[in-house]
């Protein structure tokens, strides 16, 4: 849901993207390099989003809180979609969709289905992980599940937060029963004054110069109360080193807050997508960071939220999957703590 317009600089080194803006020249050049430009209607879609990514269009809601058996707070956030049909023995469905309420008590939940377009069936014994897991922790809430398939050990690794300043790791052979591993990120690992380090996603990505094979992206907040995108790197996905400065600052793109980061690769380069608050358009933006994370090429709007329901001007927390060759975006649609989990098709 993007349009071909130009960005307008709002400050030195910063762009203030409107609801339907991105850098057309950068898009066309990257798409051509990647061999993605075709003819006719296909050409329009191939260059419709920055970096030559698909032009995702909203399809429908997948999960709505009022239809769920486990619904302690009337809200859900942060979907993570994973194909498990070729990784797990006897899975409940081809795809596992992890999500959670945010407000106390939260709880890491699962739904499963055979298509990324749904339907998805709620796992009957949710939550898989609660806010009280003795002797490891007892907190007000747990939320923001991100599940990584760790090929090295043939396990699904779950990263989740609780409280907002702590990210933890649990591991599973079947994607349902998890074993607690450790704390992997806290605010104390970032500069003094950091108050939140949450909504983490972890990706397999080689950074040879840092002797790392995994990258973590997360939201970071401090005394300024403006949220940025932080990052870290790890050799094994368990012990981490964190950059002491944000990867993408809110001021870099002319908004108040950034969150929900996700790593994407295309055309030989690496990108970070993330969402803004509704007061700044409620869209998903994209920044090219390069394979070594040395670039800061802010490309504007990746996915433009629609004004109609269920998006109501906000799309957030993107997760990506491919179903039989068709790309999909699974995301939060609607007001924060008042929306649904939806799917868009590329």
């Amino acid at each position: 849901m993007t349009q071909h317009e130009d960005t307008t600089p709002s400050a030195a080194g910063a762009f203030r993207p409107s609801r339907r803006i991105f850098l057309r020249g950068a898009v066309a050049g990257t798409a051509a390099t990647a061999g993605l430009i075709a003819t006719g209607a296909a050409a329009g879609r191939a260059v419709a989003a920055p970096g030559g990514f698909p032009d995702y269009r909203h399809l429908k809601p997948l999960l709505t809180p009022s239809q769920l058996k486990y619904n302690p707070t009337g809200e859900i956030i942060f979907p993570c979609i994973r194909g498990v049909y070729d990784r797990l023995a006897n899975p409940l469905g081809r795809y596992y969709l992890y999500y959670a309420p945010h407000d106390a008590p939260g709880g890491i939940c699962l739904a499963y289905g055979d298509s990324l377009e749904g339907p998805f069936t709620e796992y009957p014994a949710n939550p898989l992980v609660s806010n009280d897991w003795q002797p490891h922790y007892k907190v007000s809430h747990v939320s923001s599940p991100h599940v990584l398939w760790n090929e090295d050990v043939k396990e699904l690794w779950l990263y989740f937060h609780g409280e907002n300043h702590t990210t933890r790791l649990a591991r599973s052979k079947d994607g349902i029963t998890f074993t607690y591993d450790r704390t992997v990120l806290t605010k104390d690992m970032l500069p003094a004054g950091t108050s939140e380090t949450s909504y983490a996603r972890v990706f397999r990505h080689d950074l040879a110069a840092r002797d790392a094979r995994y990258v973590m992206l997360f939201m970071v907040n401090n005394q300024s109360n403006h949220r940025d995108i932080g990052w870290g790197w790890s050799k094994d996905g368990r012990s981490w080193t964190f950059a002491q400065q944000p990867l993408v600052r809110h001021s870099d793109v002319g908004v108040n807050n950034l969150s929900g980061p996700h790593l994407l690769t295309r055309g030989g380069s690496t990108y970070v997508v993330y969402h803004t608050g509704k007061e700044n358009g409620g869209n998903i933006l994209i920044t090219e960071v390069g394979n070594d994370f040395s670039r800061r090429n802010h490309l504007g709007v990746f996915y433009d939220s629609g004004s109609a329901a269920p998006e109501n001007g906000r799309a957030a927390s993107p997760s990506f999957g491919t179903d039989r060759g068709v790309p999909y975006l699974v995301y939060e649609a609607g007001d924060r703590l008042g929306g649904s989990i939806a799917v868009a098709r590329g």
Side-chain angles (χ1 to χ4, degrees):
M1 300 174 65
T2 45
Q3 299 290 327
H4 292 266
E5 299 177 14
D6 293 329
T7 53
T8 302
S10 60
F15 288 97
R16 188 176 302 277
S18 73
R19 290 172 57 79
R20 293 183 176 274
I21 288 178
F22 62 88
L23 302 180
R24 177 169 43 191
V27 172
T30 306
T33 301
L36 295 171
I37 294 181
T39 59
R45 293 187 66 81
V47 297
F53 288 95
D55 180 17
Y56 292 97
R57 303 293 179 114
H58 172 76
L59 190 60
K60 61 181 180 181
L62 293 177
L63 296 176
T64 301
S66 61
Q67 299 173 346
L68 298 172
K69 177 183 176 182
Y70 181 73
N71 180 26
T73 58
E75 47 83 19
I76 52 176
I77 68 165
F78 213 81
C80 180
I81 191 73
R82 286 291 171 261
V84 295
Y85 54 89
D86 58 346
R87 290 169 172 167
L88 303 181
N90 303 313
L92 299 173
R94 287 172 55 84
Y95 298 94
Y96 280 6
L97 174 55
Y98 297 90
Y99 63 96
H102 181 272
D103 287 350
I108 308 305
C109 298
L110 170 68
Y112 55 91
D114 289 323
S115 167
L116 290 183
E117 296 188 12
F120 278 85
T121 300
E122 180 184 9
Y123 183 65
N126 281 331
L128 307 180
V129 174
S130 76
N131 64 326
D132 187 354
W133 193 346
Q134 298 294 335
H136 310 297
Y137 62 78
K138 184 177 182 180
V139 294
S140 71
H141 75 289
V142 292
S143 194
S144 69
H146 176 79
V147 174
L148 166 78
W149 173 252
N150 190 311
E151 181 65 27
D152 296 337
V153 293
K154 302 294 191 295
E155 292 178 347
L156 288 165
W157 285 23
L158 166 66
Y159 297 86
F160 61 103
H161 84 247
E163 308 291 352
N164 285 354
H165 51 64
T166 301
T167 296
R168 308 174 191 276
L169 168 64
R171 301 164 60 169
S172 175
K173 293 290 188 183
D174 63 5
I176 297 172
T177 302
F178 285 88
T179 301
Y180 188 82
D181 190 295
R182 61 172 60 188
T183 295
V184 292
L185 168 63
T186 75
K187 64 182 178 63
D188 296 330
M189 299 174 181
L190 277 293
T194 299
S195 57
E196 294 178 273
T197 49
S198 54
Y199 305 105
R201 294 194 189 272
V202 174
F203 306 89
R204 178 73 176 84
H205 184 86
D206 289 330
L207 291 172
R210 300 179 186 270
D211 192 27
R213 302 172 64 241
Y214 297 91
V215 165
M216 180 188 294
L217 304 174
F218 56 95
M219 183 198 78
V220 58
N221 192 12
N222 56 36
Q223 294 169 329
S224 72
N225 203 30
H226 290 289
R227 292 162 179 84
D228 300 319
I229 303 304
W231 76 295
W233 53 92
S234 171
K235 189 172 184 177
D236 61 3
R238 299 178 71 235
S239 299
W240 292 83
T241 301
F242 295 103
Q244 298 299 290
Q245 297 298 320
L247 179 68
V248 183
R249 292 178 172 86
H250 67 283
S251 57
D252 294 341
V253 291
V255 301
N256 295 333
N257 294 291
L258 304 175
S259 189
H262 196 290
L263 197 71
L264 295 174
T265 58
R266 197 173 186 92
S269 192
T270 300
Y271 303 79
V272 176
V273 295
Y274 45 87
H275 71 255
T276 70
K278 191 172 180 178
E279 72 278 6
N280 293 122
N283 299 320
I284 298 172
L285 308 185
I286 182 170
T287 293
E288 182 182 13
V289 297
N291 294 333
D292 62 356
F293 282 58
S294 64
R295 299 182 192 174
R296 298 296 183 270
N297 188 13
H298 306 300
L299 298 177
V301 175
F302 178 87
Y303 182 86
D304 188 342
S305 61
S307 59
E311 293 182 340
N312 296 320
R314 181 178 180 271
S317 302
S319 182
F320 297 84
T322 301
D323 189 351
R324 300 173 177 89
V326 179
Y328 290 89
L329 162 65
V330 179
Y331 64 105
E332 294 176 32
D335 292 336
R336 173 171 165 76
L337 307 186
S340 60
I341 302 302
V343 62
R345 182 168 57 201

